[in-house]
Amino acid sequence: MNGYINVCDVEKYYGSEAGMTKAVDRVSFQVDEGEFVGVMGASGSGKTTLLNMLATIDNVTAGHIYYQETDITELKPDRLAKFRKENLGFVFQDYNLLDTLTIGENIVLAMTLQKKGKKEIKKESEEMMRLLGIWEIRNQFPYQVSGGQKQRCACARALINHPKLLLADEPTGALDSRAAETLLETFQRLNETRKATIFMVTHDAFSASYCSRILFLKDGKIFHELVRGQKGRREFLNCILDVLSVTGGEGDAR
Amino acid sequence: MLAKLALRNVRRSAKDYLVYFFTMTVVVALMFAFNSLIFSGEVHDMFQGVEVMEVMLGLATFFIVLIVAWLINYMIRFILEKRSREFGIYLLLGMEKRQIARLYMRESVLLGAGAFLAGLVFGVLVQQILMSILYSMVLSDFRINIEFSRGCLIMTASCYAGCYLLALLRCKRKLKKMNIHGLMNAERQNEEIKESHEGLKRWLLPLSVLFLALFGAWLFYGKEWGTHTIILFLVGLVLVIYLFYMGLSAWIISYVRHEGNAIYAGQNLFLLRQFASKIRTMRFTMGTLTALFVLAFLGCSVAMMFNFYENQMLGDKMPFDIHIHSAYVEDDFATELSVIENNVPIKEAYAYHIYENGTDVVNVWLYTHLKVFGDAYRKADGTPDLEAIRGERDFAAYCRYDTYMGISDYNHLRKLLGLDTVALADDEYIIHIKDRVFRETGDFSDQLAIEGNGGALRFAGFHTEPFSQDGHNGGDYVIVVSDDEIAKMRPFYAQLAVELGGETPEDLRNLLDDATRELDFKTSDPISDIDITAMLNETECVGSDSILVWGANNLVRDNILVEMKCMLSTMIFPLTYIGLVFLCVALTVLSVQQLSDSAKYKFRYKVLRQIGMGAKEIAGLVLKQLFLFYLCPALFAAVIGGIIAGYVGGKFNFYAGVRTPAAVYFGISLMLFLGVYSVYFVVTYVGFLRNIESGR
């Protein structure tokens, strides 16, 4: 296996034998280190299920997922939690920040759970908050800041422990276009400067245009793949829209 | 349709608020069981002083109705808040406010009625347990006998309905004021955490602690207690109970804000923030819960004091099977002996005299030195107020003169009680004194001058075994001298000690009282030159006991014990009743709060899972979180309750003579508390985990 992350013949079925739904059907792909991969598809195409399996919060019915040498489908629940803690970061559409903690504390908590020292926590969290432009609002509670700021806080929390993979599920879904753009630029910057590996699920073509590679999912299967290569973002967006117009997927060109 | 909806909603709320339903069931069961004590025909026949019990239980019921009404009101409003969105949708769909109010009221009444019926069934069981405790306390055999008196049922139902009525009336006002926007947003209201002036507010915590320390010092060491001081401290205590939580929350927030070291360890940051925000939004409720816990602690502790008194002291109060006092020194007790013999075989009867020699040295010393008398018998310059000591004779602690006994009589009585005899030289004396009094006085023989015929007698020791010293073998004490010395003194009054050869008949004391009353009447001869009133007054005393004083000529131990225990039960039962109900009410509020939070904020635990916490770690975190939340008001209440119970227990021991350390009363209450507490804690913990696991 050459990839950083290898997904091999993964299947996910729901329901009983009588009424089986194949949410993900024999999907295989690789993600390289430092890659920014997007997954697109219509509602019900299986993209969130796929992300959840990569995120270890859902089990595969069959197949294997390797993070370098580790097969996460073989890990016991306790090991999985440890693996999640040490290797993965999450950004979700609804931010999932803890409402009793301030913006800064939300980031600090992720580090204290890793049993890091006070000095390291203070230094790294400040660095990260400054990088994402949320240092000034560190003492505010989530309900006091905007959606974009909340999402950047979620990003900071997801990346603070240097995960092998950042998983983002419709991260711009609840943001206005300006905040969405800022967030996606942040993702891109993190990908370029910190070599963060990002796996993002979206149904929005504009968001997807920031990725370096896009997998298109339909009825649980990968039916197409687009690589950005040397193309500019707008050019890549047009390619995505072309694919979507063929498949009848949702598109949003800005 | 509405009825169907109400029924379905009740089923759902009953599941969601199982703890509340359970507590209401327990409250009904307790109400029914305790009320049945008032209405039970059997209890009426068996127990004297049942009227006192009725009054005490009535008083307890009054407070319980108020507190349960508070719980119902709290719960109805709480459920209303939790379901506000649902009610908002009803309004949006076009339902009228009146209809919704009726629907909600109907649901509450249905839920209440369900708990009432369940409580009655459970109540029959509690009634039996209560009866068996009452019977075992008063030494009778208990046979299971289910009583379902109409009066008891009506009283329980009316108390319960009273609670509901009080609560619903208050809630109706809230329902009237609701509007769609308010209802749709009510759920979100307490999510906003406003932090302001934390730096100032946090000083409330050390101030509260300081106040408690002062309160404790004032209780234990304070001398002058003016009414103003007492009111000031009580108002302060109530304020402190409420302000403490504001201070605690602010202190934690400040600590977190100032990045204290502890927040960088493990899950502490989450725990501290969670705890601080919860007690901040609930500070008033937390204060009320603390007050309830304190009252529950105190109720149980005082009940324990009386229970220990009953177990330790009552038996000691009357060591002889029968002990009869007569002011007539020539009394041969023929009438009494024949009454006894007609009812039960006598193993041994011993008639003797208590003597006096016209002195009151020991009386004066005790009147002026025992704390129980304070300064009542001392003049302003500290010298004995002999006029007061010798003048007033109603319910006197001591007889007119010091009480003496001959060594032969003394040793005979000791043998009768199974004690070793003692030797005494002609020029010696010993003092047999109550253990409680001796513990206070210590050896005070060097301050006494007991004169015999040939000059001062030599002191030969104290004896403190139980010796019937509530006016029979003296009040508190009797001085034992040689038979030669006693022969030169005047007989003061006559005594008869009897050891029975069979079981004491239930009405023996009444028979004896009737017989001696006739005797008194016959001897009240106007032609006789004896001043009967003066003679009775001079020889009658009750000693210095003050918790339970039983002054009577005819002491029939087994009869009087039953009556004394009945009297004590009138304190023990209502106090336990109050303690239990208050405890259950407070724990229910804690439980329901946490359970509903676990459903409302389960996303918090989902987030923790996502940032890498395993199921076991989360279960551990929930345990810690619940522990903090449950422990805080309990611990705070235990400190306040402990201070007050320690003080009251100390005073109680001082007056009652019980040897148990004051801390034990509180300790036992604490154990009882922990028992009930663990039940609620486990139920909440399991429910909490189930709630956050659901929908994973």
Side-chain angles (χ1 to χ4, degrees):
Chain A
M1 277 166 288
N2 309 321
Y4 186 58
I5 294 159
N6 282 294
V7 177
C8 308
D9 291 333
V10 165
E11 296 178 15
K12 181 70 186 179
Y13 299 163
Y14 289 113
S16 60
E17 272 185 37
M20 184 93 72
T21 312
K22 287 184 180 177
V24 175
D25 191 7
R26 291 182 74 87
V27 166
S28 298
F29 61 90
Q30 290 183 349
V31 178
D32 292 330
E33 190 170 4
E35 223 185 340
F36 185 178
V37 178
V39 177
M40 291 197 76
S43 295
S45 59
K47 52 188 193 299
T48 297
T49 310
L50 181 64
L51 178 123
N52 284 345
M53 288 188 295
L54 272 170
T56 72
I57 47 184
D58 203 353
N59 305 323
V60 300
T61 309
H64 297 274
I65 299 171
Y66 296 93
Y67 279 80
Q68 287 169 317
E69 300 306 316
T70 314
D71 181 358
I72 59 161
T73 59
E74 303 283 324
L75 294 180
K76 297 248 158 50
D78 278 350
R79 288 288 313 279
L80 262 186
K82 192 166 181 279
F83 178 84
R84 201 158 51 229
K85 185 158 60 181
E86 287 166 2
N87 299 290
L88 303 178
F90 298 89
V91 179
F92 291 94
Q93 179 176 346
D94 44 7
Y95 325 120
N96 282 357
L97 296 180
L98 291 166
D99 53 349
T100 45
L101 269 55
T102 60
I103 295 293
E105 288 162 7
N106 263 288
I107 297 159
V108 166
L109 180 70
M111 297 186 83
T112 63
L113 291 179
Q114 296 262 35
K115 300 191 171 63
K116 294 192 173 160
K118 182 178 176 177
K119 261 191 189 160
E120 189 186 354
I121 292 177
K122 284 185 85 165
K123 186 173 164 280
E124 286 195 19
S125 62
E126 182 181 339
E127 220 171 86
M128 182 61 81
M129 281 188 272
R130 285 195 190 280
L131 181 69
L132 296 192
I134 48 174
W135 174 248
E136 274 68 38
I137 53 154
R138 65 188 181 282
N139 288 327
Q140 311 269 338
F141 284 96
Y143 80 93
Q144 295 170 312
V145 303
S146 71
Q149 287 168 320
K150 273 188 240 186
Q151 199 59 299
R152 272 183 279 148
C153 170
C155 279
R157 185 183 63 188
L159 289 167
I160 195 76
N161 291 318
H162 312 292
K164 283 197 174 127
L165 180 66
L166 173 70
L167 294 147
D169 188 4
E170 306 277 10
T172 56
L175 303 183
D176 59 54
S177 55
R178 180 77 219 126
E181 213 174 320
T182 315
L183 181 78
L184 290 162
E185 278 162 8
T186 309
F187 272 2
Q188 207 166 31
R189 198 166 65 244
L190 291 168
N191 175 245
E192 285 162 10
T193 59
R194 295 204 158 205
K195 296 282 168 239
T197 312
I198 303 173
F199 188 83
M200 178 174 77
V201 162
T202 182
H203 66 266
D204 167 31
F206 175 76
S207 301
S209 66
Y210 282 84
C211 301
S212 54
R213 181 159 62 108
I214 297 169
L215 303 172
F216 290 88
L217 231 61
K218 191 176 182 186
D219 299 330
K221 290 182 176 163
I222 296 177
F223 82 95
H224 193 67
E225 189 175 338
L226 268 185
V227 179
R228 184 167 166 183
Q230 299 305 313
K231 292 185 198 87
R233 199 184 62 73
R234 187 142 283 281
E235 194 185 343
F236 191 43
L237 174 63
N238 287 333
C239 297
I240 297 168
L241 288 173
D242 287 345
V243 176
L244 290 178
S245 64
V246 173
T247 60
E250 302 145 69
D252 177 16
R254 271 175 235 162
Chain B
M1 184 63 201
L2 272 187
K4 209 171 161 188
L5 194 61
L7 199 68
R8 195 176 307 153
N9 285 342
V10 166
R11 248 187 265 149
R12 196 187 53 189
S13 334
K15 211 173 119 202
D16 282 353
Y17 302 104
L18 198 65
V19 177
Y20 167 55
F21 188 81
F22 170 75
T23 301
M24 291 312 290
T25 307
V26 170
V27 167
V28 173
L30 288 174
M31 267 187 187
F32 177 77
F34 278 96
N35 288 343
S36 70
L37 289 185
I38 301 180
F39 288 95
S40 161
E42 216 175 313
V43 173
H44 264 267
D45 295 342
M46 267 208 55
F47 297 94
Q48 286 140 9
V50 75
E51 298 79 14
V52 185
M53 172 86 97
E54 283 171 9
V55 172
M56 294 299 287
L57 280 177
L59 254 174
T61 306
F62 172 74
F63 289 110
I64 283 166
V65 166
L66 285 184
I67 288 302
V68 173
W70 176 76
L71 173 72
I72 298 174
N73 179 46
Y74 181 87
M75 285 306 302
I76 289 181
R77 291 170 75 124
F78 185 75
I79 298 174
L80 182 68
E81 219 165 88
K82 298 286 152 198
R83 291 175 52 194
S84 53
R85 186 174 284 267
E86 175 192 331
F87 291 134
I89 291 170
Y90 291 154
L91 275 181
L92 270 178
L93 289 175
M95 256 185 169
E96 285 175 34
K97 263 190 203 175
R98 217 159 16 98
Q99 275 178 304
I100 295 177
R102 211 180 309 144
L103 173 77
Y104 187 53
M105 291 297 169
R106 206 180 285 181
E107 278 176 40
S108 306
V109 169
L110 269 174
L111 193 75
F116 183 74
L117 290 177
L120 281 188
V121 177
F122 186 36
V124 175
L125 180 76
V126 181
Q127 179 194 36
Q128 296 309 305
I129 297 171
L130 214 59
M131 286 292 190
S132 74
I133 295 173
L134 187 63
Y135 275 66
S136 71
M137 274 172 76
V138 293
L139 313 164
S140 306
D141 290 330
F142 171 67
R143 266 167 278 108
I144 286 185
N145 172 29
I146 295 174
E147 279 190 78
F148 226 87
S149 89
R150 209 168 48 179
C152 173
L153 207 61
I154 292 173
M155 178 157 172
T156 311
S158 4
C159 289
Y160 191 66
C163 298
Y164 255 92
L165 212 65
L166 271 175
L168 287 180
L169 276 179
R170 285 209 56 192
C171 201
K172 213 165 180 176
R173 244 176 291 154
K174 196 176 166 81
L175 275 168
K176 259 189 190 164
K177 281 190 218 153
M178 63 189 178
N179 64 56
I180 298 181
H181 180 260
L183 284 173
M184 298 298 243
N185 283 304
E187 235 186 6
R188 272 181 240 153
Q189 268 166 9
N190 60 354
E191 282 173 34
E192 293 189 3
I193 302 154
K194 290 196 179 73
E195 289 177 359
S196 55
H197 310 300
E198 300 309 312
L200 275 179
K201 280 189 215 154
R202 74 189 178 133
W203 289 106
L204 288 172
L205 181 70
L207 275 178
S208 307
V209 175
L210 186 73
F211 177 88
L212 278 186
L214 275 177
F215 179 67
W218 169 73
L219 268 185
F220 287 98
Y221 303 108
K223 291 261 187 273
E224 293 299 322
W225 296 359
T227 323
H228 291 301
T229 327
I230 293 173
I231 291 175
L232 202 73
F233 265 103
L234 286 181
V235 171
L237 188 64
V238 174
L239 270 177
V240 156
I241 286 178
Y242 286 96
L243 295 179
F244 170 80
Y245 290 100
M246 201 188 276
L248 181 63
S249 156
W251 195 272
I252 296 174
I253 290 168
S254 293
Y255 181 77
V256 173
R257 287 241 180 242
H258 289 101
E259 298 170 357
N261 286 332
I263 67 164
Y264 293 99
Q267 310 134 346
N268 286 358
L269 179 59
F270 178 80
L271 273 176
L272 289 173
R273 272 296 194 184
Q274 189 85 335
F275 180 60
S277 84
K278 196 70 210 160
I279 54 174
R280 155 167 301 241
T281 46
M282 275 186 70
R283 58 186 180 270
F284 189 76
T285 311
M286 288 295 244
T288 308
L289 297 187
T290 307
L292 287 181
F293 280 144
V294 170
L295 290 173
F297 272 135
L298 291 181
C300 281
S301 298
V302 175
M304 278 305 131
M305 288 172 204
F306 282 105
N307 192 33
F308 269 84
Y309 179 78
E310 182 181 311
N311 292 337
Q312 276 182 26
M313 302 306 290
L314 279 194
D316 289 358
K317 259 182 147 19
M318 286 164 287
F320 300 102
D321 287 346
I322 297 178
H323 206 180
I324 298 175
H325 168 102
S326 173
Y328 305 101
V329 287
E330 291 90 9
D331 202 335
D332 58 359
F333 298 106
T335 318
E336 289 88 342
L337 282 169
S338 78
V339 170
I340 300 168
E341 267 168 338
N342 288 338
N343 287 283
V344 57
I346 292 176
K347 202 168 162 193
E348 189 183 345
Y350 185 69
Y352 60 98
H353 284 116
I354 296 291
Y355 293 83
E356 50 93 1
N357 62 359
T359 60
D360 55 1
V361 183
V362 182
N363 285 354
V364 169
W365 194 91
L366 289 174
Y367 269 130
T368 49
H369 287 79
L370 289 187
K371 283 188 200 154
V372 66
F373 299 120
D375 291 331
Y377 298 100
R378 269 197 296 236
K379 289 183 188 158
D381 59 359
T383 54
D385 184 353
L386 293 177
E387 212 171 298
I389 291 171
R390 289 166 188 166
E392 197 186 330
R393 299 243 31 95
D394 278 345
F395 301 108
Y398 306 118
C399 298
R400 171 65 190 83
Y401 303 111
D402 287 352
T403 42
Y404 286 84
M405 183 184 269
I407 185 70
S408 312
D409 289 340
Y410 181 63
N411 276 334
H412 198 114
L413 291 172
R414 285 185 71 92
K415 266 196 265 176
L416 203 62
L417 293 175
L419 301 170
D420 294 336
T421 55
V422 294
L424 192 71
D426 280 350
D427 61 343
E428 285 180 338
Y429 75 96
I430 53 178
I431 296 179
H432 197 113
I433 192 164
K434 274 182 193 165
D435 182 55
R436 175 186 65 77
V437 180
F438 182 64
R439 266 185 280 147
E440 184 188 337
T441 59
D443 182 356
F444 59 102
S445 57
D446 54 337
Q447 296 170 54
L448 299 176
I450 304 294
E451 293 293 329
N453 248 17
L457 296 177
R458 247 177 341 109
F459 178 66
F462 282 105
H463 288 268
T464 57
E465 299 91 347
F467 201 53
S468 188
Q469 295 192 299
D470 286 340
H472 283 67
N473 287 333
D476 284 358
Y477 75 96
V478 68
I479 305 162
V480 183
V481 291
S482 68
D483 290 341
D484 282 349
E485 285 294 341
I486 217 80
K488 287 154 199 157
M489 294 186 187
R490 283 178 301 279
F492 198 10
Y493 55 86
Q495 292 286 298
L496 174 71
V498 182
E499 193 184 354
L500 296 178
E503 207 171 295
T504 317
E506 270 179 31
D507 55 348
L508 187 57
R509 189 173 84 88
N510 293 337
L511 292 173
L512 278 171
D513 282 350
D514 292 344
T516 44
R517 205 169 295 131
E518 278 170 34
L519 210 63
D520 285 348
F521 181 72
K522 274 186 215 153
T523 44
S524 302
D525 184 355
I527 312 160
S528 160
D529 55 354
I530 307 169
D531 182 352
I532 294 169
T533 321
M535 184 172 70
L536 282 174
N537 270 345
E538 288 191 343
T539 61
E540 276 181 354
C541 61
V542 290
S544 62
D545 282 7
S546 46
I547 296 292
L548 196 55
V549 182
W550 195 281
N553 284 346
N554 304 322
L555 292 183
V556 180
R557 182 180 54 206
D558 290 351
N559 294 169
I560 292 176
L561 272 187
V562 171
E563 288 181 36
M564 284 183 152
K565 287 184 175 184
C566 284
M567 281 168 69
L568 290 173
S569 322
T570 61
M571 298 298 292
I572 297 172
F573 275 64
L575 285 170
T576 318
Y577 180 25
I578 286 191
L580 269 178
V581 171
F582 281 20
L583 188 60
C584 288
V585 166
L587 285 170
T588 307
V589 173
L590 280 180
S591 259
V592 169
Q593 269 286 344
Q594 282 298 299
L595 283 176
S596 110
D597 270 13
S598 66
K600 188 172 169 185
Y601 301 118
K602 67 174 153 205
F603 78 90
R604 289 179 186 156
Y605 303 90
K606 196 175 116 199
V607 172
L608 290 176
R609 235 186 323 267
Q610 284 165 357
I611 59 175
M613 284 183 73
K616 268 188 202 161
E617 274 178 296
I618 289 184
L621 178 77
V622 168
L623 189 69
K624 281 185 209 159
Q625 184 188 325
L626 282 187
F627 204 63
L628 261 180
F629 188 67
Y630 264 65
L631 200 67
C632 180
L635 204 66
F636 185 41
V639 171
I640 301 175
I643 292 174
I644 303 177
Y647 168 74
V648 175
K651 285 279 169 210
F652 183 88
N653 279 0
F654 173 74
Y655 287 114
V658 182
R659 277 174 171 276
T660 317
V664 172
Y665 308 127
F666 180 67
I668 294 176
S669 308
L670 200 65
M671 298 299 284
L672 281 174
F673 172 87
L674 286 178
V676 182
Y677 177 95
S678 338
V679 173
Y680 277 86
F681 187 84
V682 170
V683 169
T684 313
Y685 179 60
V686 172
F688 198 110
L689 285 185
R690 199 185 47 215
N691 278 352
I692 60 170
E693 291 286 315
S694 70
R696 237 180 101 175

